[in-house]
Amino acid sequence: MTRPEQPTLTSSGHSHVSAAALHSLSGHRRPSTLKSQDAADDLDRELFAFAFAFGGSRSWDPTDTDDPRSPPAHLGAIHRRRPRSLAALSTSSMDSDPKAMDQTDQPSAIAAAATSKAAPKVPNSLEEYLAPYAHLVALQTHPNPSRSDRVLVAAKDFAPGEVLFSEPALLDSAHGIAQEFQPVPMDECFIAHDYQRMLFEFIANQVYSPDSPNTTLLHLATRSLSTDGMTSDLAAKINADRLADYAAGIKVFREKVKKRLSRRAVKMVGPFPTQDSLLQLLYMIETNVHAEELPEAHPLAASSRRQSDDADDEQEEDHCALGLVASMPDHSCVPNAQVCFFPRLTGPKRYTPPASDDEDADIPEHTHLLFTALRPIQAGEPIAIAYQENSCLPTHSRRMQLVRRGFACNCPMCAGQVPDFARAVACVHCGGVGVPSSVPVSPQDVEVVDDGLEDEYGDPIVDIQFPPVSASSASDIHCASCSTLLATPAQLDLAQDRLLTDPEIRMQALTRVLDVFSHHIPSPTASEGLCARSLAHVITSDCAKDPELAALLTVDGVTPLSAAHWLVYDAVRRVLYFDSDALDRDMHLPAVMYLVASNYATIALATGGAPGGVGGDEEEDRKWTRTIAWNGDVLHNLKWLMKTARARGHVALAQWAADRGVEASEVMGVAGKTSGVEDEFKGVFSRPRESIVFT
Ligand SMILES: C[S@@+](CC[C@H](N)C(=O)[O-])C[C@H]1O[C@@H](n2cnc3c(N)ncnc32)[C@H](O)[C@@H]1O
């Protein structure tokens, strides 16, 4: 769950979280309606049947396939919290060994069954846990001397689309036991429901199954994982109110859970976690968890929708999962990897307790966190994903979002090692661009100002400030093609600031953007001819053709591409999101295509891709499509578009989105296939097109 500031379209109105995003902000959600949930005090009978069957004093060897409590054979290696490293230690089966990952067809390798009966050795240290992954990835101290934390690097070369590694989740809000937990209402305990489920899963393991491999691994995770997204000096300053809410919330949560559990006649054989250890666990979850939106058909989505009727959407849940290796990649604004959940969470799968000890339990499938390469990665290179899809945001906004996660980003783009395309400026003379480097910001440069203002809940509103880039040694920006001086750093700061913050410009842009998309962009019938790279022209050419919009996007002769794009993107999003009838108007197709593609096309434009005309050069098109496809939000927007267009009877538009979806997920390689996204697009329309029937 991240609640990204960069909005993407969803049918639910809920900010989308790509699977690649971390969950760090989701805990801070206030219900607007307070409600009592006495009924929630009772845990389902099934939960206890489950906890008893898989924990307590009864020994259970998860690899013993004769044990009725073991996972059904078809789930194979994907079973409850037994990491792949264990499978590798206990069996020579290639299918269950991460070493086999780069030699086999990934999906089948992941899904294949492990049948070894050898007793697993439970890793007791991070080194032991990482050993089976050693030929793929390695954990090192950070090469940047200003950082005291660790970084995950590639142990070999990887090609785009190749699986880097796959790890079964240690904690998963969709595990049976977590799903069955009835969260404490947020007005009593201010901790997001999905986080509460994970905390509960940890507690259930500890108290019912203290000696199990799962519990050992969970303790290893709590010893090994960082909490600094919440506890670093910077995070503590910025998240002061959330830290206070969490401290109070964890106390209530612990008391409630303890009371609920002790009311039952099931013996707790392990110690109940202390308040401090649960608080640390919550910080650890928030710093490291991965999340995706729950599929609509999933029971948790349905229950959170029901709750959100009264609570103004504040309690919507995500599917959250936590791994150990999966917690190690850095964030980068120019990521070289992405993560997805595998297998895809489909609803409505729910744990059904076995009627007797002789029957197999129906255990929900085990989520793996599957990492794939987006670009060629060389051995020794740090593996970095985008904690949030922010690459297209102007430098200042991008940094601000990451500071809210507790760190000042020093990825290659933020540290000035590669050009910062978010500071690109359009050249009015030759149509080219100028792209400067960015200037690094250290945590000490970040000022947190408390003006005494409070939000509607009485929480302080803190203002985060960086020194402007122009105050540093940033150099002037020249056009890469004709060398014209385009802007000084101070002029660029000013222009970006105006475009991003002036409400009047926003309002004017909304009207003009509608006009531009209705008149200047090729009509829907020309959709076949539109390709990703043609959309890069939107700002530098199409928007510029409208004198009023061009004037709006230019401040004192400077057109900052990223901020201009953001203004247009935001206007389009508002029109489509709040006025779905816009889909019925002429502007719909180009506008949506712009929405889907433009930010990524802008990236490519600024990083060296030279957009040609419309279509024509297949090689060039592929390159651009690839650039665009390497982003989870694109798939998300396409899915939204496909469904909405289909519901409204726009066959061609829905088909366009479905085709782009298949294309994009193919480009994303294994991740697209294993996450099921590709099937989702393919499954909606059966070819040939003429036979499409809308229901
Ligand atoms: C999910 S953890 C990553 C693993 C962490 N490096 C460790 O040693 O456990 C997230 C933390 O790593 C650090 N981090 C990740 N990406 C970073 C970046 N681009 N710049 C600075 N710090 C980063 C921050 O401290 C952040 O809170």
Side-chain angles (χ1 to χ4, degrees), residues 22 142 147 149-151 224-226 228-229 287-288 327-332 387 405-411:
L22 287 185
H142 208 282
R147 280 182 57 178
D149 57 332
R150 306 152 295 188
V151 68
S224 314
L225 292 184
S226 160
D228 73 348
T287 303
N288 298 286
S327 295
M328 297 302 172
D330 259 5
H331 163 84
S332 174
Y387 289 1
R405 289 173 178 273
F407 63 90
C409 183
N410 63 7
C411 78

Side-chain angles (χ1 to χ4, degrees), residues 531-546:
C531 62
R533 70 199 164 102
S534 67
L535 292 162
H537 282 299
V538 170
I539 286 181
T540 51
S541 146
D542 291 297
C543 290
K545 272 188 220 151
D546 181 275

